[in-house]
Amino acid sequence: VTEPLLIEVDQIYHLACPASPIFYKYNPVKTIKTNVIGTLNMLGLAKRVGARILLTSTSEVYGDPLVHPQDESYWGNVNPIGMFSFVLKDGIMKLIGELGG
């Protein structure tokens, strides 16, 4: 959602962005807009209407796993500057929370 939504809700489920490297490579600008602008829009909506927000993410952002399937104890095979490092939205969420938003 790269445009603000003017709706009334009490819960928001932010389901991240496309989870396929094919989509990242095909349209990286749209992926970044979805991550950053979409997250900011959802945070703004949540703040405006007093809604709770649930942010999900795909395991793709943590790199190619060395273990299949992954359980909760697996920390990942992270490449913070690689193709899948779209974790900016997670940082935005933490920052807004710390600022009381």
Side-chain angles (χ1 to χ4, degrees):
V1 178
T2 57
E3 297 293 327
L5 290 175
L6 300 175
I7 58 175
E8 300 297 318
V9 297
D10 58 0
Q11 297 177 351
I12 298 170
Y13 298 89
H14 183 331
L15 304 177
C17 71
S20 169
I22 295 168
F23 293 116
Y24 299 156
K25 290 178 183 177
Y26 177 72
N27 197 340
V29 172
K30 184 175 182 180
T31 301
I32 291 169
K33 283 183 175 182
T34 301
N35 276 307
V36 177
I37 297 170
T39 298
L40 290 172
N41 285 336
M42 292 301 96
L43 288 169
L45 174 62
K47 185 174 183 177
R48 182 179 63 80
V49 300
R52 297 191 65 169
I53 184 168
L54 171 72
L55 173 69
T56 65
S57 191
T58 172
S59 63
E60 294 285 336
V61 302
Y62 302 110
D64 291 328
L66 301 174
V67 175
H68 294 280
Q70 300 84 45
D71 63 24
E72 293 300 317
S73 66
Y74 182 67
W75 284 81
N77 183 26
V78 179
N79 177 357
I81 60 171
M83 168 70 83
F84 308 111
S85 61
F86 291 104
V87 294
L88 181 58
K89 66 182 178 303
D90 297 327
I92 292 171
M93 294 286 286
K94 289 177 186 173
L95 179 60
I96 296 294
E98 289 174 8
L99 296 175

